[in-house]
């Protein structure tokens, strides 16, 4: 059953392939997400917002002593995430349908805000980052995992050729990490890849206190 009042997501990868998402991406995405969340040493009672929670692929990585809210625009994804929450009996996780560009939360509500493999899907990455920073409390932590354009010219030129194809599926391959963080007041604590061959970069940043 669809969520009440829900509209299909504009991205084809969400709308048409939501039922295949876990099968395709869990083995590629989850180990990176798990190791990143564990590295945060999240304390008891911390309030966490995951933007673009999708099918809930990452939910089992969060400690049960935290309060986790997951939001996503795609009802098809949220239905699958809700099944996981119910099936696992996770009482520390709440899910809501919401536009990441218009978060319905007060300023400074969350200790941690995460966005895993979602920045390139949102049409306005600058607006997304402004909202993420707004709802993060002063001194809070923001964690982004995403594909960014490679600084290596040859590799970047090869990937750039795929951009017209990936845009039709709902995401871009040409976003620079500097472009993402240029307009928001964040201090980058760590920026790294979990392996030399990884296409994805982990960025851990702090909002000024």
């Amino acid at each position: 059953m669809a969520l009440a009042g829900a509209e299909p997501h504009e991205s084809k990868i969400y709308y048409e392939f939501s039922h295949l998402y876990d099968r395709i991406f869990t083995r590629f995405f989850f180990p990176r997400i798990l190791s990143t969340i564990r590295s945060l040493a999240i304390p008891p009672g911390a309030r966490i917002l995951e933007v673009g929670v999708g099918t809930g692929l990452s939910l089992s990585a969060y400690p049960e002593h935290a309060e986790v809210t997951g939001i996503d625009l795609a009802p098809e994804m949220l239905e699958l995430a809700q099944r996981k929450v119910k099936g696992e009996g996770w009482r520390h996780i709440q899910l809501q349908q919401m536009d990441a560009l218009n978060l319905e939360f007060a300023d400074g509500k969350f200790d941690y805000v995460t966005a895993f493999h979602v920045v390139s899907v949102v049409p306005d990455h600058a607006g997304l980052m402004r909202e993420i920073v707004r709802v993060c409390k002063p001194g809070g932590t923001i964690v982004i995992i995403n594909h960014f354009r490679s600084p290596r010219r040859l590799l970047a030129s090869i990937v750039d050729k795929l951009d017209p194809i990936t845009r039709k599926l709902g995401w871009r391959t040409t976003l620079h990490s500097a472009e993402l963080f240029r307009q928001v007041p964040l201090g980058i604590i760590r920026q790294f890849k979990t392996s030399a061959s990884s296409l994805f970069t982990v960025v851990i940043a702090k909002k000024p206190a």
Side-chain angles (χ1 to χ4, degrees):
M1 179 182 295
L3 299 175
E7 296 295 333
H9 194 281
E10 65 178 351
S11 170
K12 291 183 180 180
I13 194 168
Y14 285 110
Y15 180 53
E16 297 179 5
F17 304 132
S18 59
H19 62 294
L20 297 175
Y21 190 91
D22 280 3
R23 296 182 193 176
I24 297 171
F25 294 117
T26 296
R27 62 178 291 193
F28 298 107
F29 289 173
F30 183 74
R32 181 182 306 108
I33 291 170
L34 178 62
S35 65
T36 299
I37 290 177
R38 285 181 173 174
S39 75
L40 299 174
I42 295 170
R47 291 181 294 183
I48 304 168
L49 172 66
E50 181 173 336
V51 176
V53 70
T55 64
L57 183 153
S58 63
L59 293 179
S60 63
Y62 292 106
E64 294 191 12
H65 61 241
E67 300 175 15
V68 181
T69 301
I71 68 104
D72 203 283
L73 185 61
E76 302 82 12
M77 296 292 225
L78 284 174
E79 287 181 19
L80 297 176
Q82 189 61 59
R83 290 180 197 173
K84 292 176 184 174
V85 172
K86 184 177 179 180
E88 296 292 338
W90 288 326
R91 296 186 178 183
H92 63 297
I93 297 174
Q94 300 293 324
L95 302 175
Q96 295 180 240
Q97 187 190 16
M98 195 177 298
D99 185 353
L101 297 176
N102 186 26
L103 296 174
E104 299 166 19
F105 300 115
D107 295 358
K109 180 177 176 63
F110 298 96
D111 301 290
Y112 296 83
V113 184
T114 64
F116 303 136
H117 309 102
V118 71
V119 172
S120 295
V121 176
V122 176
D124 179 7
H125 63 268
L128 169 67
M129 291 303 298
R130 286 193 296 270
E131 280 293 271
I132 284 176
V133 172
R134 180 183 67 79
V135 301
C136 184
K137 77 173 187 179
T141 300
I142 291 171
V143 184
I144 306 291
I145 300 178
N146 203 71
H147 169 267
F148 296 113
R149 192 174 188 271
S150 175
R152 291 183 287 180
R153 185 175 300 178
L154 178 58
L155 180 59
S157 65
I158 293 172
V159 175
D160 285 351
K161 294 177 181 179
L162 298 174
D163 192 61
I165 298 172
T166 62
R167 281 180 183 264
K168 290 182 179 181
L169 292 172
W171 77 89
R172 57 180 289 197
T173 62
T174 56
L175 180 65
H176 293 258
S177 60
E179 182 183 351
L180 186 65
F181 294 96
R182 183 179 298 126
Q183 299 180 29
V184 287
L186 290 175
I188 296 178
I189 306 302
R190 296 178 66 201
Q191 182 167 324
F192 61 95
K193 293 180 180 289
T194 53
S195 70
S197 60
S198 177
L199 294 174
F200 300 97
T201 300
V202 180
V203 183
I204 299 176
K206 285 279 187 181
K207 180 176 177 178

